[in-house]
Amino acid sequence: VLKLLAQRLGLGLITLWAASVLIFFSTALLPGDFASAMLGQAATAENTAAIRTSLGLDKPLLQRYTDWLGGALHGDFGTSLASHRPVMDEIKPRLLNTFFLALYAAVVAVPLSVFLGVMAAIRQGSIFDRAVNVGALTSISVPEFFLGYVLIMFLGVHYRVFPVLSAVNPAMPFGTRLYFAFMPMITLVLVIMAHMMRMTRASVLQVMASPYIEMAYLKGLPKWRVVVQHALPNALAPIVNVIALNLAYLVVGVVVVEKVFVYPGMGQMLVDAVSKRNIPVVLACGLIFAVVFILLNILADVLSIMSNPRLRHPR
Amino acid sequence: MNNWDELQKAARTGKLTRREFLGRAAALGVTTSLASGAMATMSFAADAPKKGGTLRLGLAGGSTTDSMDVRTYTDSFMMNVGAAIMNATIEIDPDNNPIPSLFESWDTKPGAAEWVFKVKQGVTFHNGKTLDADDIVYSFNLHRGKDTKSSAAVYLAGVDDIKATDKHEVTFTLKEGDADLLYSLSDYHFLVVPKDFNDWSKPIGTGAFKYDAYEPGVSARVVRNENYWNPGRGNVDVAEYTCINDTAARMNALVAGQVDLIHRVDTSTIDLIKAVPNLQLIQKAGGYHAIYAMRCDMPPFDNADLRRAVKYAVDRDQLLKALFNGYGVIGNDTQIPPTDPFYNTELEQYKYDPDKAKFYLKKSGVTKITAPLSASDAAFNGAVDAALLFQANAKAAGVDFPLKKEPADGFWDNVWLKVPFCESYWGGRPCATMMMTVAMASTAAWNETGWKVPAFDKLLSDAKKEIDHEKRKQMIWELQRMTHDDGGAVVPAFKSWVDAADKKVKNYQPYSLYDLCNTRVAEMVWIDEA
C-alpha cells in the first residue's frame, strides 16, 4: 500500500507541475494586465507604466515563471499586486473560510446522502424511495443561486430565522459561525446530495443482485443487516469516488453560493484576482485548487482499493 | 432673514425649527407645497442630531484587491471607508457647489492661475498631531510627480506647484488658469493624511471616524472620533461596512434588517423596497451617463451629417426606461447633466425623429454604415440589450448599422478608443469644465469620440480662466452648443442615484454628485429609533 501511495503522490506532483504551467501561461494569454485592469478607464500611459515597472510586469514571461516557481518551491508565493501583502497571508483567512464551509456541508451531506441512499435501496420502489429521488433531482436541477434565493426568501426575509448575510469573521465564536454559515451550507448540501445519494442507491442495488446476497437472505438475516453488512461494503468503491468529486466541488466550485450569501471564501477572491489580473493570487489559488483536487482523487483511489480485497492483494 | 434663499439656507444649517421655518415661509408668501418640498432636504433644529448607535452599511464596489491607500481607490466601498477616516480639503454640497472642509477659505486673482487657501486651525489627526499646511502639501503630492501610481494624477496635471506659504496657508500655482480648481481638489482621492505617513494598513486622518478593522472586499469597521472638528457631524458611535456586490443580496440584507442602508438599488425590483413601510428611498439625478461614442476621426463618422442623423435616430425615452427603468433624465448629447449649475437650458432637445434622421442621412451621402456598434456589458449593466434596442429604433428611422457583441473581459484595453462606434459610460464630473477637459478637449487621453476642434479647446481654456460668473456661463453654454451640434457622443440618459435606508436613519440627503451623500453618509446621518 505504501508503494502505491508513493506512486500516486509522485504522479500527483507531476500533475501539479503541469497544472502550474497551464495556469501560468494561460493567465498570460489574458488581454491586459494588472496595471491596466486596476486603472480601468482611468489609465494613462504614464501611470500604467509606473505601476508596471514597480511590480516587475515588464520582465520577460519565462523569467517571471521561473522566478515564481522558485519562490513557490520554497513556500513563497510572492506578494499580491494590489495590497503588497504576501499572497499566503491574504489567502489564508479565505482559505480557512472555504474549508470551514466545505467541511460543514460535507459533515451534513455525506452521512445524510449515504443514509438516504441506503434507505432508498432497502425500500426500492416505495413511496419513500420515490420521494427522496424526486426531491434530490429537483434540488440538483435548479441552479444553486436560485436555491439560495428561495432559502433567503423564506428563512431570511419572511421568517427571519437565519441571517441573509453570511459574512463570517475570524472573531466569531464557533457556534455563531455555524449559525451564520447555515444557509450557504444547506444550499450546498442540496446541490451535492443528489449525486451521492443516487450513486449509493444504484451501487447498493447492483450488489444486491449478486448471489451471495441471496445467500445472506437464505441464512435468515433481516434486510437491513444484509444491506449494511454485506452489500454496502462491497458497493463502497464507486460511492467513495463520487464523494471525493463532490468534496472537491465544495472547495473549488462554490463561487456563486459565496456571492449570493456574501460569504468571504476563495471563489470570490479568485474571481476578483482574475478580473484585476492579480496574477500571484490567481496562481496561488489555482495551485491550491489543484492540490485539493489531486489529493482528494488520490484519497478516493486509495480508499476504493483498500475497500476491495481483490485490489488490495493483487495477484 | 427676508428672502426665500436665506431662509432655506438657515433652515438647512439647522438654525430654525420646523415650525419657525413654515411660519416665516408663509410670511414671505411662499406656498405651502413649495415650502414642504424644500423641507424634505432640511434638518431642523428640533431634529438635532442624536449621538450613538451603530450604522450598518451594505455597499457594492468592493474587491479583494482593494487597499486603504488613497491612490488606489476606484469604487464606492473604499471611497466611503476612506472618507469616514480622512477629510478632503474641499467638499461638494447636495446641489454641486464647493464648500469648505479642511480648507476653510480661499482666494484667487483674475486669470485663476494662483490660488491661496487658508487651512482650518485647531484640527488634530487621530494620532494627536495638529494639522498644518505641510500635511496638506504632502497629501496632494502623493498624486503628483512622474512616477505616481495615482489614478487621480490627471486632476493635478495642470498644477505647477503646491507650496506651504505659511503654517496655515497653502498656495497652488497652475500652469494655466482654472476657475474650477475647487472641483478638482474635491476629488475623492485627495484625502489628507499627516506628513510622511505611509503605513496604509492603519490609515490616520482627521475624519469623523477612526480606523478599527478592515478586510479587503469583505468588511470594514470604524469608530467615532470624539475630537472631530466638524460639529453636527460624526454622530454614530460605530460604522460597519459590509461589502455586498450582489444586487439581490444587497436588497435582501436591507429588507431583512441586517444592514441599515444600501446604495445602487436595483430599480427593476424597487417595488420590493417600496412595499416595506419602514424603508425610505433617497434619489437624485446625477452625472452618471451611458454613451454611444462615434469616432469623428474614423470613417464613416468623420461625417458631421451622419452623426446628426444618428442623434435623431435615438429614442431617448425608451432607452431611459430600458437602461435605468426610468430613474433618471434624458440626455442631450453634451455629457453635461441638467443638474450642473452651468447646464445650457436653451439647446434644442434631440428627439426621435425619423424624418430628420433620413434627411441628414441623405445629406451625408452615406448609403451603408458598415462600422458596427461595439457593445459589451463591461460598458454598463444591460449595455448589450440597450444596444439592440438602439439598433432596432435607428433601423426603423432609416439609420441601419450592424452590432458587434464584444467580450466584457479586456473591453477597455482592446475595444474602447480603438473602434469607430462603441458603448461606454462616464461617472460624471462635479463641473462642466472638468467633464469637457477629460472627455472632449483635443488633448484629453479619454477623448473617446476623437472629436478635435481647436475653437473648442481655445474657448474651453478661456472659460477655465474666467472668474466672472456671467461671462463664464455664456462661454460654457457655447461649448455645450458645439458638442451638441457637432460632437460624436450620443448620450441617451443620465442615471439617478438611488439609495435606500431604514427610516430610523435620519438626515440622509440626496446629493447629485454621487450617492451615499457624496461618500460621506456615515458622518452625515444619525440614528433615531423612535
Side-chain angles (χ1 to χ4, degrees):
Chain A
V1 178
L2 271 180
K3 190 182 148 210
L4 178 91
L5 209 60
Q7 190 190 1
R8 296 281 154 153
L9 281 175
L11 280 174
L13 279 178
I14 297 175
T15 320
L16 200 58
W17 173 75
S20 86
V21 173
L22 213 63
I23 302 167
F24 190 91
F25 289 98
S26 55
T27 50
L29 289 179
L30 294 171
D33 66 3
F34 175 74
S36 59
M38 200 68 202
L39 293 164
Q41 220 188 19
T44 60
E46 293 83 27
N47 57 11
T48 317
I51 289 183
R52 266 185 205 145
T53 330
S54 79
L55 297 174
L57 294 177
D58 47 355
K59 285 190 205 158
L61 191 62
L62 212 59
Q63 193 193 338
R64 272 188 279 149
Y65 178 69
T66 45
D67 286 355
W68 173 76
L69 194 66
L73 287 177
H74 294 97
D76 169 21
F77 288 90
T79 47
S80 158
L81 299 186
S83 64
H84 308 292
R85 286 197 293 168
V87 166
M88 270 340 253
D89 286 4
E90 195 143 294
I91 291 182
K92 210 174 139 202
R94 292 204 163 232
L95 187 63
L96 292 180
N97 283 344
T98 291
F99 282 151
F100 173 77
L101 183 59
L103 202 65
Y104 191 11
V107 163
V108 176
V110 173
L112 188 66
S113 33
V114 171
F115 173 75
L116 287 178
V118 171
M119 289 297 284
I122 293 176
R123 305 193 180 173
Q124 188 195 4
S126 70
I127 301 283
F128 174 81
D129 181 24
R130 281 176 207 183
V132 168
N133 266 309
V134 168
L137 284 178
T138 314
S139 73
I140 203 180
S141 307
V142 292
E144 56 219 75
F145 67 86
F146 179 76
L147 277 177
Y149 285 142
V150 169
L151 285 173
I152 285 180
M153 196 174 91
F154 286 108
L155 298 181
V157 177
H158 200 70
Y159 294 108
R160 300 202 181 185
V161 207
F162 290 102
V164 299
L165 296 181
S166 306
V168 296
N169 63 55
M172 273 181 186
F174 187 69
T176 322
R177 271 176 91 98
L178 289 181
Y179 174 68
F180 269 79
F182 183 81
M183 285 215 285
M185 181 276 287
I186 287 292
T187 311
L188 289 176
V189 166
L190 288 174
V191 171
I192 62 170
M193 223 176 66
H195 199 185
M196 294 190 289
M197 193 274 285
R198 285 182 59 84
M199 184 50 93
T200 308
R201 179 178 176 276
S203 37
V204 167
L205 282 180
Q206 200 191 6
V207 176
M208 296 281 278
S210 25
Y212 78 94
I213 295 290
E214 206 170 339
M215 180 62 211
Y217 279 125
L218 293 176
K219 269 199 313 195
L221 289 180
K223 191 164 184 180
W224 69 267
R225 276 192 64 182
V226 176
V227 171
V228 174
Q229 286 190 338
H230 296 269
L232 191 58
N234 283 303
L236 224 51
I239 300 176
V240 168
N241 263 316
V242 165
I243 289 178
L245 273 182
N246 277 294
L247 291 188
Y249 165 83
L250 282 180
V251 174
V252 307
V254 298
V255 59
V256 176
V257 172
E258 282 178 15
K259 195 153 185 161
V260 167
F261 292 100
V262 198
Y263 188 84
M266 289 273 281
Q268 189 54 46
M269 177 163 223
L270 183 60
V271 170
D272 282 350
V274 170
S275 69
K276 291 274 163 58
R277 307 284 187 265
N278 195 350
I279 301 301
V281 175
V282 177
L283 293 174
C285 288
L287 220 53
I288 289 171
F289 287 170
V291 168
V292 167
F293 239 105
I294 291 168
L295 281 184
L296 281 170
N297 272 301
I298 292 178
L299 191 71
D301 270 4
V302 171
L303 282 181
S304 54
I305 289 171
M306 301 240 298
S307 74
N308 189 332
R310 269 167 303 186
L311 291 175
R312 207 162 38 192
H313 307 287
R315 233 175 288 201
Chain B
M1 213 178 290
N2 22 15
N3 73 51
W4 175 228
D5 284 340
E6 270 180 49
L7 181 62
Q8 286 188 75
K9 210 181 208 170
R12 270 209 188 95
T13 46
K15 287 187 185 121
L16 296 170
T17 66
R18 194 182 295 269
R19 187 183 291 266
E20 280 169 337
F21 173 77
L22 276 177
R24 290 191 198 173
L28 284 170
V30 174
T31 61
T32 322
S33 61
L34 182 58
S36 52
M39 272 165 55
T41 64
M42 292 169 182
S43 58
F44 291 94
D47 326 321
K50 272 212 163 77
K51 299 277 173 187
T54 297
L55 184 72
R56 299 163 303 164
L57 306 94
L59 306 190
S63 158
T64 47
T65 53
D66 286 343
S67 92
M68 280 280 184
D69 188 337
V70 290
R71 289 167 290 193
T72 64
Y73 294 178
T74 53
D75 211 338
S76 285
F77 192 85
M78 288 321 300
M79 287 161 68
N80 274 274
V81 176
I85 299 168
M86 294 165 272
N87 280 116
T89 49
I90 309 274
E91 286 181 19
I92 303 294
D93 79 354
D95 301 315
N96 243 356
N97 304 299
I99 54 169
S101 182
L102 292 183
F103 281 157
E104 63 178 359
S105 65
W106 46 83
D107 203 13
T108 184
K109 296 188 205 68
E114 193 186 295
W115 289 75
V116 179
F117 295 92
K118 295 279 178 219
V119 179
K120 191 162 184 62
Q121 303 197 16
V123 175
T124 50
F125 284 101
H126 300 155
N127 63 359
K129 185 190 180 304
T130 310
L131 172 79
D132 61 33
D134 287 336
D135 301 319
I136 291 184
V137 173
Y138 173 80
S139 301
F140 275 108
N141 281 341
L142 291 173
H143 308 273
R144 296 179 66 221
K146 235 188 138 39
D147 37 55
T148 180
K149 295 171 213 162
S150 173
S151 41
V154 61
Y155 299 121
L156 297 178
V159 175
D160 199 35
D161 196 18
I162 303 177
K163 257 207 192 92
T165 37
D166 185 35
K167 197 166 184 336
H168 292 284
E169 188 182 274
V170 178
T171 304
F172 280 66
T173 322
L174 310 185
K175 291 174 185 145
E176 201 179 43
D178 183 2
D180 283 325
L181 178 71
L182 298 178
Y183 287 103
S184 305
L185 301 190
S186 77
D187 183 79
Y188 62 82
H189 296 91
F190 301 143
L191 300 176
V192 177
V193 293
K195 188 172 183 239
D196 298 329
F197 171 83
N198 57 19
D199 178 15
W200 291 104
S201 63
K202 286 190 180 62
I204 287 175
T206 54
F209 298 93
K210 296 179 187 180
Y211 170 83
D212 184 48
Y214 171 57
E215 202 185 324
V218 181
S219 60
R221 188 173 190 274
V222 294
V223 294
R224 184 146 67 103
N225 170 12
E226 298 293 338
N227 304 316
Y228 193 40
W229 55 272
N230 200 339
R233 289 209 198 163
N235 300 302
V236 295
D237 288 337
V238 177
E240 286 176 355
Y241 297 83
T242 306
C243 176
I244 315 179
N245 287 324
D246 185 65
T247 312
R250 211 159 52 242
M251 305 273 278
N252 282 328
L254 180 71
V255 173
Q258 278 198 274
V259 295
D260 302 316
L261 66 90
I262 60 169
H263 67 147
R264 298 191 200 164
V265 169
D266 176 14
T267 45
S268 57
T269 51
I270 203 162
D271 290 336
L272 181 70
I273 283 181
K274 287 184 177 163
V276 182
N278 67 327
L279 296 182
Q280 53 177 334
L281 285 172
I282 298 94
Q283 49 171 310
K284 188 157 183 164
Y288 179 105
H289 57 274
I291 174 171
Y292 300 103
M294 302 179 272
R295 294 283 315 187
C296 307
D297 54 359
M298 288 184 197
F301 297 108
D302 49 359
N303 181 325
D305 289 312
L306 180 64
R307 299 200 291 268
R308 281 216 131 179
V310 173
K311 289 178 182 185
Y312 281 114
V314 187
D315 190 335
R316 287 152 211 271
D317 292 306
Q318 236 187 52
L319 277 174
L320 173 61
K321 276 200 198 102
L323 288 170
F324 310 134
N325 288 298
Y327 283 84
V329 290
I330 59 168
N332 203 15
D333 300 353
T334 63
Q335 296 191 256
I336 307 300
T339 46
D340 191 284
F342 288 105
Y343 179 68
N344 186 338
T345 51
E346 281 169 9
L347 291 176
E348 179 212 343
Q349 172 65 52
Y350 281 116
K351 285 201 174 73
Y352 183 62
D353 190 336
D355 289 342
K356 279 193 181 152
K358 280 176 193 139
F359 171 80
Y360 282 107
L361 185 66
K362 204 173 165 200
K363 199 171 156 209
S364 74
V366 176
T367 46
K368 190 170 173 13
I369 305 173
T370 48
L373 170 60
S374 291
S376 166
D377 282 335
F380 46 87
N381 240 346
V384 175
D385 295 343
L388 282 166
L389 183 65
F390 172 31
Q391 185 198 29
N393 284 335
K395 190 175 181 184
V399 182
D400 192 7
F401 54 82
L403 196 67
K404 186 176 175 200
K405 195 176 170 229
E406 305 278 1
D409 204 57
F411 180 76
W412 302 111
D413 287 314
N414 302 337
V415 180
W416 185 61
L417 296 180
K418 294 189 173 70
V419 297
F421 199 13
C422 183
E423 282 187 309
S424 166
Y425 82 98
W426 283 90
R429 291 295 182 275
C431 69
T433 57
M434 269 173 89
M435 189 69 220
M436 290 166 172
T437 309
V438 292
M440 294 164 232
S442 306
T443 50
W446 312 318
N447 183 338
E448 55 192 358
T449 61
W451 185 70
K452 290 173 184 167
V453 179
F456 180 88
D457 297 341
K458 171 83 178 57
L459 187 60
L460 177 58
S461 142
D462 290 347
K464 281 164 83 175
K465 286 179 205 136
E466 183 57 64
I467 54 176
D468 180 82
H469 186 269
E470 228 5 76
K471 281 188 199 152
R472 291 196 74 201
K473 183 177 154 184
Q474 271 170 20
M475 290 167 152
I476 294 173
W477 277 36
E478 173 61 16
L479 290 166
Q480 289 174 66
R481 194 197 57 74
M482 293 164 98
T483 55
H484 172 269
D485 292 356
D486 187 57
V490 171
V491 183
F494 290 90
K495 182 186 184 178
S496 287
W497 306 114
V498 187
D499 302 355
D502 196 293
K503 276 190 180 151
K504 73 181 182 191
V505 179
K506 307 288 181 191
N507 195 37
Y508 197 156
Q509 301 183 24
Y511 278 60
S512 70
L513 180 58
Y514 211 70
D515 54 10
L516 300 162
C517 300
N518 191 22
T519 74
R520 299 204 162 266
V521 65
E523 66 178 275
M524 295 292 189
V525 301
W526 59 84
I527 292 174
D528 192 347
E529 299 278 356

